[in-house]
Amino acid sequence: MSRRTPRLFAAALAAGALLLAGCAEKTATDTPAAGGSGGAFPVSVGNLTLEKRPEKIVSLSPTSTEMLFAIGAGKQVTAVDDQSNYPADAPKSDLSGYQPNAEAIAGKNPDLVVIANDTNKIASQLVALKIPVLLAPAASTLDDTYRQLTDLGKLTGHPAEADAVVRKMKDDITALTKDLPKRAEKLTYYHELGPELYSATSKTFIGTIYALAGLENIADPADADGKNGGYPQLSQEVIVKANPDFVFLADTKCCQQNADTVKARSGWGGVTAVKNNQIVALDDDIASRWGPRVVDLLKAIVDATAKVPA
């Protein structure tokens, strides 16, 4: 599976939230969605206004693809990018979200394009072709996730379904976290983005999910000043010295990392996570996206740590 390098991954996740239409642009937090009550059109999100329900949506964001199908807009999606592998029936194409081509996208005759990154200023290129564009970048918080779901619901004519997905996510997260064990000291963890030992701090979206599970992040001191955007590269020595209780691997698909490869690393034999077999293999895709399946990620974390006596 093609995958961004951790450095590019970090840069993408650090991106701010933008909504674009026409030649104007505003942040998603600056301009709440308006109109669209009950799926009525026209509807506006930020500066983007759709006069009628889109029926030829192109998604160049795996997360947005998951969101669109989750809210019941899957039948309106006619093409998705080459990294959108969930759900299985998403209409995968050779379009790229990393190196988008305006001509290739326009060839799909879309009435709405959803992107996560404005690479090569693709948004303005598409707008020049009179193609409506929604830029829904990497979330920084769960509120960003909920907002994107709500906005997509309004734009696609599925506001009630989107609201239901958001409510279920919130309810599921509450259920997972309400009875966490009371511990005298927090369990510590190392989240691995790649075998180059890039990680994510508590200030990132993924870090906030671990925080919900009551865990302490060993990567935080490595980016205390934020100069790495929340995605520092750690050293073997730093990780071994920090002695995390858990190692969570988000590089199982891309880089074939697993409990055995971690145990084979020089000097890691004394790490608590290794000694106690507390190395957790995550699904790379779920761990790198911010859609409805973030609940599955939280469940994997909670289930793994619950096995440790309080």
Side-chain angles (χ1 to χ4, degrees):
M1 182 184 74
S2 175
R3 183 177 172 90
R4 285 173 286 185
T5 64
R7 194 177 295 274
L8 288 174
F9 173 78
L13 290 186
L18 293 171
L19 292 170
L20 292 118
C23 295
E25 59 185 56
K26 284 189 177 182
T27 63
T29 51
D30 287 343
T31 309
S37 176
F41 285 81
V43 65
S44 296
V45 169
N47 293 313
L48 173 59
T49 297
L50 297 182
E51 297 297 328
K52 60 182 181 179
R53 193 177 98 151
E55 301 295 342
K56 295 181 179 180
I57 302 171
V58 169
S59 172
L60 300 183
S61 161
T63 296
S64 293
T65 298
E66 293 193 18
M67 289 183 172
L68 286 163
F69 276 79
I71 64 174
K75 291 183 179 179
Q76 296 158 250
V77 178
T78 54
V80 301
D81 70 293
D82 56 3
Q83 297 299 302
S84 285
N85 55 6
Y86 186 89
D89 58 344
K92 197 171 183 178
S93 72
D94 57 0
L95 294 175
S96 172
Y98 300 145
Q99 294 296 326
N101 180 287
E103 183 177 351
I105 297 168
K108 302 294 184 181
N109 194 29
D111 47 15
L112 175 65
V113 175
V114 185
I115 58 178
N117 302 289
D118 193 17
T119 307
N120 300 330
K121 298 188 182 300
I122 188 63
S124 59
Q125 293 185 56
L126 293 173
V127 166
L129 297 173
K130 308 300 182 184
I131 298 172
V133 182
L134 174 71
L135 178 51
S140 297
T141 67
L142 278 169
D143 284 341
D144 292 337
T145 290
Y146 301 148
R147 185 179 304 110
Q148 288 186 16
L149 282 162
T150 300
D151 288 346
L152 285 171
K154 292 179 183 295
L155 288 172
T156 60
H158 298 276
E161 294 95 325
D163 289 345
V165 171
V166 170
R167 283 196 304 273
K168 187 176 189 308
M169 286 183 68
K170 291 181 177 180
D171 290 345
D172 289 347
I173 289 171
T174 297
L176 285 169
T177 57
K178 68 177 181 178
D179 295 320
L180 292 175
K182 300 294 187 287
R183 303 181 187 277
E185 292 185 9
K186 291 183 177 181
L187 296 173
T188 60
Y189 75 95
Y190 160 61
H191 177 86
E192 181 167 289
L193 293 173
E196 305 90 348
L197 307 184
Y198 279 92
S199 192
T201 70
S202 298
K203 295 181 180 179
T204 63
F205 178 82
I206 186 70
T208 66
I209 303 304
Y210 283 104
L212 287 172
L215 305 186
E216 182 177 323
N217 192 338
I218 70 159
D220 288 348
D223 193 36
D225 57 10
K227 290 184 178 180
N228 291 302
Y231 297 92
Q233 184 178 25
L234 307 184
S235 66
Q236 300 256 18
E237 293 76 16
V238 165
I239 296 170
V240 170
K241 183 178 180 180
N243 191 26
D245 295 304
F246 280 86
V247 169
F248 290 93
L249 300 174
D251 52 359
T252 59
K253 291 182 178 180
C254 75
C255 315
Q256 293 75 52
Q257 296 302 294
N258 53 50
D260 290 337
T261 63
V262 172
K263 290 176 181 178
R265 295 176 184 177
S266 177
W268 287 55
V271 173
T272 298
V274 174
K275 290 191 298 183
N276 294 346
N277 293 313
Q278 291 169 179
I279 302 169
V280 182
L282 301 173
D283 183 302
D284 297 25
D285 297 327
I286 294 176
S288 63
R289 298 174 188 174
W290 56 97
R293 290 197 294 168
V294 72
V295 175
D296 297 339
L297 173 62
L298 178 59
K299 186 177 188 303
I301 296 169
V302 170
D303 287 350
T305 55
K307 298 174 184 177
V308 178

